[in-house]
Amino acid sequence: MATVAINLATGSLQQEEIIVGIDLGTTNSLVAYVHPDTRQPLAINDQGRGTIVPSVVHFPAEGLDPVVGNEAREFLLTDPQRTIYSVKRLLGKSYRDLGQHATQLGYKIIDDNSEGLVKIRVDDRFFSPIELSADILKELRARAEHALKTPVNRAVITVPAYFNDSQRQATRDAGRLAGLEVLRIVNEPTAAALAYGIGLSPDEEKTVAVYDLGGGTFDISILRIQQGIFEVLSTNGDTYLGGDDFDRAVSDHWQEAFQLPTAYQTNPHLQQQLRLAAEMAKRYLSQHDDFTTQLTDEAGQNTTVTLTRAQFNDLIRPLVARTIAACRQAVADAGLVVGSPLLVGSTNQSLTTNNQQLTTKLDAVLLVGGSTRVPLVFEAVSEFFGQPANNSLNPDEVVALGAAIQADILAGNRRDVLLLDVTPLTLGIETLGGLLDPIIPRNSKIPTKAGRQYTTSVDGQVNLKIAVYQGERDLVSQNRKLGEFVLTGIPAMPAGLPKVDVNFLLNADGILQVEAIELRSNTRQQVEIKPQYGLTDEQVEQMLMDSLMNAKDDVAARLLIEARTAAEQLLYQVSNFTRKNREHLTPEELTATEAQAEILRTALAGIERDPILKAMDELDELTRPYAERVMNISIQQAMAGKKIG
Ligand code: ADP
Ligand code: MG
């Protein structure tokens, strides 16, 4: 399969390496490549096992290597606790991010409510979603190598448009763990449009919508393609809406309508049986009008359940309506008007004030994801956009095919096609009072650069903390912290005098570089913000090592380290604060703070996490009121200009 080329400089034979495209899906994953002879993208079907690899990892009891795909999927029913599905939902997430969703899975998520990365427990072993995703990627890689009979070392991997930096970084890390060099992380809708051949010819101008309803996520993206430039005008969606929710609606309906024994809600085996039957009904009703099957409980008691397409449509209508609402928002964000006839005459002036081109009809509405096979979805989307949606390519494969085309572009096999993406969430820094000051707004095209100027709030301040956040809320506490660093060595000056430029550079992969410069002294500091939950190279190495050893104590150890780090930071902040603001604090406050700080230092010397967390909480509680008071004073003192802290 591999093409052989001769390197004229050395006279040696070179093997042209194939770069694969991978759709790492919540429910299903696929690997595709561009055939070197036909130049056509193809999903890989190794040994006739089909192109779709269910994103399910099963751990056999004896600690053997995990199995992935259909083989693993069969264990959803019989061995749910050792059979991990929908792991993409957990990728790059902390326990806190998950909230109530953790309890909806058939397997065990360690019970915790911390900022730490989620881990999954299988017997006595703990796995991160990155490791489990890597297992899926390893399987895809092995299938590609087997089918193509050549080593596969490089890949393009797709992610939903809504993935934040942590999730993108986690996907990249999973690729590395699977031994793949990840050349590019590409948004799924961008890949889908590429698969439809949109954007590959230079003089083409198009505006398209990509509606992607998979098993676990929904994305709507509006893309504009102009002179070979691929631009995402807007994205919207819901990371917790997909075909799984259709299945749940069906199970819930059956539970009630057929008075199923409560064991179908409590017994994992029966839960899974119900879930699979509901999915089967859904798929069947994409083609037929009536579905009937039998459920069997542990006592051998049978219940016949039925569902008509009309009933199914009623069950899912509210879910489909939510996707349409997101479409409406995306269309508005893109500055477009679609679906309804354009008013002419005196009433249309408000529609033309915007200098964006007014569109009543998109050039195409592309359907992506298995759930778009549901007839009601097709109808609702076509109706909203005022034109029949395009589903001519296999909706399961289209993202992987597009990823393969992107891989082919990166391999230098196509003339340069420039792809511009957008950042899905606002990026900014924390300013005084815990507010988020946006630097790169959401839906900005990337790569992009932006900056703002700040100053200090305290006389003689020589350090400035730059804390970087991602999100749409005003308060940083409600957004996601990506990282922070301290600009040191600012010459002592009165508050408000230093001029600090903070510049954000977001590259094509969505990795953020932050630079702070104090202009008067030319003091400069630069960091690459690896998202807080992302992994460093050393951590990836460490994980490889750990997987060879018994990782039972991993979690406790990591949590202790995290608590210690946080405690040290807090002590540092508190001592800085009291030193700087001595004149604003009463002697009682100073004594109480020192006493509480001492309690925390004592706890830090120990090896238990809870006392550290408790002492931190108490120190925080104690100092917060006077920190606020001092901040108010600073705000008053620094009326002009923005102060960071
Ligand atoms: P993801 O991108 O989340 O991995 P996919 O695009 O592979 O998901 O879509 C998987 C979803 O599509 C599942 O919920 C599956 O039940 C659903 N699906 C697949 N085929 C059909 C069908 N014929 N009718 C309805 N839903 C389907
Ligand atoms: Mg998908």
Side-chain angles (χ1 to χ4, degrees):
M1 193 61 62
T3 313
V4 172
I6 298 168
N7 182 334
L8 295 178
T10 60
S12 63
L13 283 181
Q14 273 188 336
Q15 242 195 3
E16 187 188 302
E17 200 193 329
I18 287 179
I19 306 173
V20 295
I22 292 178
D23 172 5
L24 181 61
T26 312
T27 316
N28 297 309
S29 298
L30 293 86
V31 54
Y33 77 114
V34 169
H35 194 288
D37 302 330
T38 65
R39 311 299 315 146
Q40 289 302 308
L42 276 176
I44 289 172
N45 181 352
D46 182 35
Q47 300 176 308
R49 288 181 286 177
T51 57
I52 293 173
V53 180
S55 307
V56 183
V57 182
H58 172 69
F59 290 88
E62 318 78 39
L64 298 170
D65 280 349
V67 293
V68 173
N70 277 316
E71 219 182 310
R73 199 170 188 267
E74 282 165 21
F75 290 96
L76 280 174
L77 207 72
T78 54
D79 197 9
Q81 310 234 344
R82 274 196 230 103
T83 310
I84 317 302
Y85 64 94
S86 286
V87 69
K88 186 174 175 180
R89 284 183 181 283
L90 311 178
L91 208 52
K93 297 263 175 94
S94 70
Y95 298 101
R96 195 164 293 163
D97 290 337
L98 280 189
Q100 101 267 13
H101 294 291
T103 55
Q104 291 171 0
L105 300 159
Y107 47 88
K108 279 189 197 147
I109 303 271
I110 296 164
D111 190 20
D112 195 328
N113 183 28
S114 74
E115 294 284 340
L117 265 177
V118 165
K119 286 232 173 185
I120 292 141
R121 181 174 183 164
V122 179
D123 299 329
D124 283 341
R125 290 178 290 170
F126 296 91
F127 299 97
S128 74
I130 293 173
E131 291 167 288
L132 296 164
S133 301
D135 288 330
I136 298 167
L137 292 171
K138 275 181 214 160
E139 173 69 21
L140 295 171
R141 182 180 176 213
R143 288 190 185 200
E145 289 186 332
H146 188 261
L148 305 178
K149 298 183 177 53
T150 176
V152 171
N153 298 312
R154 299 198 286 172
V156 167
I157 304 181
T158 60
V159 296
Y162 259 75
F163 258 28
N164 63 27
D165 282 351
S166 311
Q167 293 163 303
R168 283 165 199 263
Q169 190 66 47
T171 304
R172 210 169 246 293
D173 291 336
R176 273 195 290 164
L177 263 183
L180 290 167
E181 186 189 343
V182 182
L183 296 185
R184 184 69 67 88
I185 296 287
V186 179
N187 283 341
E188 287 160 10
T190 304
L194 276 175
Y196 272 96
I198 294 169
L200 294 173
S201 72
D203 44 5
E204 153 182 48
E205 263 192 53
K206 285 201 170 129
T207 306
V208 303
V210 181
Y211 178 104
D212 181 349
L213 191 60
T217 56
F218 168 62
D219 280 330
I220 172 73
S221 311
I222 313 287
L223 313 180
R224 164 109 77 215
I225 299 96
Q226 239 168 342
Q227 290 151 8
I229 296 177
F230 228 97
E231 186 187 334
V232 185
L233 294 182
S234 69
T235 64
N236 208 297
D238 190 331
T239 49
Y240 278 98
L241 182 58
D244 295 351
D245 299 292
F246 293 1
D247 302 348
R248 206 167 297 127
V250 172
S251 323
D252 290 351
H253 165 72
W254 281 343
Q255 186 78 42
E256 210 184 290
F258 296 95
Q259 309 253 302
L260 296 179
T262 49
Y264 281 99
Q265 284 175 319
T266 51
N267 177 316
H269 285 65
L270 295 183
Q271 271 177 302
Q272 298 279 23
Q273 189 193 353
L274 182 59
R275 205 173 71 84
L276 291 179
E279 196 203 345
M280 201 195 292
K282 172 186 74 176
R283 286 170 181 259
Y284 190 80
L285 292 174
S286 291
Q287 313 267 345
H288 306 86
D289 288 330
D290 291 283
F291 176 85
T292 304
T293 194
Q294 227 171 44
L295 301 171
T296 309
D297 71 14
E298 308 247 286
Q301 182 79 37
N302 289 332
T303 312
T304 300
V305 292
T306 62
L307 194 68
T308 65
R309 186 188 282 182
Q311 286 173 325
F312 176 66
N313 285 351
D314 287 343
L315 291 174
I316 64 164
R317 198 163 275 122
L319 299 168
V320 176
R322 272 165 63 194
T323 69
I324 298 300
C327 291
R328 190 166 289 123
Q329 187 60 50
V331 164
D333 284 352
L336 303 175
V337 177
V338 297
S340 52
L342 180 60
L343 295 172
V344 288
S346 62
T347 46
N348 77 342
Q349 73 274 40
S350 65
L351 294 174
T352 52
T353 50
N354 194 324
N355 64 2
Q356 288 269 18
Q357 189 202 328
L358 201 58
T359 311
T360 53
K361 194 166 173 295
L362 294 159
D363 293 295
V365 177
L366 309 179
L367 291 185
V368 179
S371 300
T372 59
R373 289 214 177 85
V374 172
L376 183 72
V377 170
F378 175 84
E379 287 158 25
V381 175
S382 302
E383 189 194 314
F384 172 76
F385 286 101
Q387 62 184 303
N390 191 342
N391 57 3
S392 59
L393 288 180
N394 180 338
D396 301 311
E397 291 182 359
V398 55
V399 169
L401 296 178
I405 293 171
Q406 171 70 73
D408 200 41
I409 294 168
L410 292 174
N413 297 332
R414 302 199 180 215
R415 58 165 196 78
D416 263 356
V417 182
L418 180 59
L419 296 186
L420 292 183
D421 267 334
V422 295
T423 176
L425 295 167
T426 297
L427 292 162
I429 68 166
E430 178 177 2
T431 52
L432 206 61
L435 293 175
L436 177 75
D437 198 30
I439 294 187
I440 297 179
R442 73 182 281 257
N443 279 339
S444 297
K445 291 158 201 167
I446 57 173
T448 187
K449 245 170 101 165
R452 296 189 79 152
Q453 200 169 81
Y454 300 90
T455 186
T456 53
S457 58
V458 181
D459 282 344
Q461 187 175 335
V462 293
N463 293 330
L464 196 60
K465 184 184 85 179
I466 315 285
V468 181
Y469 286 83
Q470 183 179 44
E472 305 312 310
R473 309 289 292 271
D474 290 339
L475 293 174
V476 293
S477 57
Q478 293 169 331
N479 291 308
R480 171 183 286 263
K481 187 170 188 176
L482 295 178
E484 67 173 50
F485 67 100
V486 179
L487 177 66
T488 54
I490 300 171
M493 281 183 257
L497 264 195
K499 283 188 179 168
V500 179
D501 267 357
V502 175
N503 296 314
F504 278 28
L505 177 68
L506 191 59
N507 74 14
D509 287 332
I511 304 289
L512 180 67
Q513 185 122 42
V514 179
E515 180 191 59
I517 314 163
E518 201 291 296
L519 296 175
R520 292 178 193 276
S521 58
N522 205 25
T523 309
R524 180 185 295 258
Q525 203 124 346
Q526 205 183 34
V527 290
E528 183 166 291
I529 301 282
K530 284 234 172 171
Q532 206 180 19
Y533 306 129
L535 300 175
T536 61
D537 288 34
E538 297 85 79
Q539 281 171 313
V540 172
E541 304 259 298
Q542 191 60 48
M543 282 168 69
L544 283 166
M545 294 289 288
D546 286 351
S547 63
L548 299 172
M549 294 182 264
N550 189 345
K552 198 174 173 180
D553 298 328
D554 261 18
V555 175
R558 187 177 42 74
L559 290 175
L560 178 62
I561 292 167
E562 280 172 3
R564 279 197 178 134
T565 311
E568 275 158 14
Q569 273 171 5
L570 180 64
L571 280 172
Y572 175 78
Q573 283 162 4
V574 167
S575 93
N576 264 1
F577 175 81
T578 45
R579 188 166 39 76
K580 280 183 200 153
N581 301 295
R582 206 158 267 279
E583 80 255 45
H584 300 309
L585 301 175
T586 66
E588 292 76 26
E589 285 172 340
L590 286 169
T591 320
T593 305
E594 186 41 45
Q596 188 57 44
E598 193 47 41
I599 292 173
L600 180 53
R601 276 184 220 109
T602 312
L604 256 180
I607 54 156
E608 285 195 57
R609 176 168 168 258
D610 286 349
I612 298 176
L613 294 182
K614 182 162 170 283
M616 278 175 68
D617 264 359
E618 286 166 2
L619 182 57
D620 198 44
E621 284 284 295
L622 180 73
T623 53
R624 195 177 307 131
Y626 34 101
E628 274 166 15
R629 198 181 68 221
V630 170
M631 265 190 196
N632 286 336
I633 299 171
S634 315
I635 291 170
Q636 282 158 14
Q637 283 175 348
M639 299 275 266
K642 288 194 167 146
K643 314 291 159 180
I644 295 178

